[in-house]
Amino acid sequence: SQPCWSEYLTTRIEQNMVLSCTCPISECRAQPTTAFICSIVSSEDIIAKYEKSLLRGYVECCSNLTWCTNPQGCDQILLKDGLGYGAACSKCSWISCFNCNFPEAHYPASCSHMSHMTCAKCNHGFCWRCLKPWRPTHKDYYNCSAMVSKAAWQEKRFQDYNERCTFHHRAREFAMSLRNRVSSISEMPKIRTLTFVLDACKVLEQARKVLAYSCVYSYYNQDTEIMDIVEQQMESLELHTNAL
């Protein structure tokens, strides 16, 4: 029935899965056409989101097209031909590098130096050289960086953990500073309550504290089986903390 189709397609569109959706009958592999979807879905907002999905799918299928990589957000579509290294977006002026797909121009570092990559769609971290999931304990990363000596590997490993720990401590200080500023605003007369923002800041402080000291724990822990679980939990917590 039309209401069933409408609910099914709307859900698929909202979940960004409409381009791969098929008929809900398990043995039928037919895909709904654009005309069919537009005739079933009545919400203009949902149709607009569907059209954005079509555009995104088209850009991703064309090897010569790409989106601007500005992490602050930019909907400009760029033509890769002739851009190469250090290309500036005509809309936001963000400078990208399309030789290695790193989201930002990285001079004077070469493209081969940019080993730690992050997927712009799902935030999955991976090693650019061996394509394995990125973790601080990712020994293949150091091997493919030609750090063959144990001393060099240990030094690089310490630097990575120390940088992560320092980053989380600084991010925690930012959350504390933000909470203090919000507190001063909420004390002013005729200002509606900002309790939810204060609670969010407190959660940020706690999450950053946990992440910072988790780096210390991870660095000294030698139990590989336990650390695989801990690192997965840390990655999940860091992803959600960054989003918050």
Side-chain angles (χ1 to χ4, degrees):
S1 66
Q2 182 166 335
C4 293
W5 267 106
S6 178
E7 182 178 353
Y8 171 69
L9 293 173
T10 298
T11 301
R12 283 283 182 163
I13 293 172
E14 289 178 337
Q15 294 177 346
N16 292 320
M17 299 172 61
V18 66
L19 298 184
S20 60
C21 80
T22 58
C23 175
I25 300 177
S26 58
E27 60 269 18
C28 179
R29 307 309 301 167
Q31 290 185 303
T33 64
T34 298
F36 178 75
I37 292 175
C38 292
S39 68
I40 292 293
V41 179
S42 58
S43 171
E44 294 183 0
D45 291 339
I46 297 298
I47 290 297
K49 190 168 185 177
Y50 168 63
E51 291 175 345
K52 288 183 179 179
S53 296
L54 287 178
L55 179 60
R56 184 171 59 251
Y58 176 75
V59 172
E60 292 175 357
C61 288
C62 295
S63 60
N64 201 33
L65 297 178
T66 185
W67 297 98
C68 174
T69 58
N70 190 335
Q72 300 301 319
C74 178
D75 58 0
Q76 185 77 343
I77 299 173
L78 303 178
L79 185 66
K80 286 185 179 181
D81 279 354
L83 292 178
Y85 183 90
C89 174
S90 60
K91 184 174 181 179
C92 69
S93 299
W94 176 261
I95 301 177
S96 305
C97 177
F98 296 117
N99 285 333
C100 66
N101 293 325
F102 191 74
E104 184 176 20
H106 44 72
Y107 180 83
S110 68
C111 293
S112 61
H113 290 153
M114 312 309 294
S115 296
H116 183 194
M117 305 297 290
T118 303
C119 175
K121 291 178 64 177
C122 66
N123 289 320
H124 170 69
F126 60 95
C127 175
W128 177 83
R129 298 187 181 185
C130 67
L131 301 183
K132 291 185 178 180
W134 176 271
R135 293 192 180 96
T137 53
H138 176 45
K139 295 181 177 59
D140 290 332
Y141 161 67
Y142 304 108
N143 290 338
C144 57
S145 297
M147 293 184 177
V148 293
S149 73
K150 184 175 181 180
W153 179 83
Q154 288 286 8
E155 180 180 359
K156 178 59 180 173
R157 182 171 180 268
F158 172 80
Q159 289 176 354
D160 284 353
Y161 276 103
N162 186 58
E163 288 175 2
R164 290 179 64 201
C165 185
T166 301
F167 168 80
H168 290 304
H169 277 304
R170 290 176 177 172
R172 181 188 176 195
E173 292 174 357
F174 167 80
M176 295 171 64
S177 174
L178 179 61
R179 179 161 61 91
N180 291 334
R181 294 200 301 271
V182 173
S183 296
S184 64
I185 295 174
S186 63
E187 292 172 359
M188 295 176 61
K190 298 181 180 180
I191 298 294
R192 63 184 241 176
T193 178
L194 297 175
T195 303
F196 67 99
V197 181
L198 294 174
D199 291 340
C201 291
K202 292 177 183 178
V203 172
L204 275 178
E205 291 176 36
Q206 181 65 18
R208 291 300 183 185
K209 179 181 179 180
V210 171
L211 286 167
Y213 290 114
S214 293
C215 292
V216 179
Y217 175 84
S218 298
Y219 177 77
Y220 288 106
N221 198 302
Q222 301 298 318
D223 191 323
T224 304
E225 184 175 349
I226 293 178
M227 287 315 304
D228 283 343
I229 299 175
V230 172
E231 291 293 342
Q232 290 176 11
Q233 293 175 334
M234 287 177 62
E235 288 177 5
S236 178
L237 176 58
E238 187 167 0
L239 177 64
H240 287 87
T241 301
N242 291 341
L244 178 61

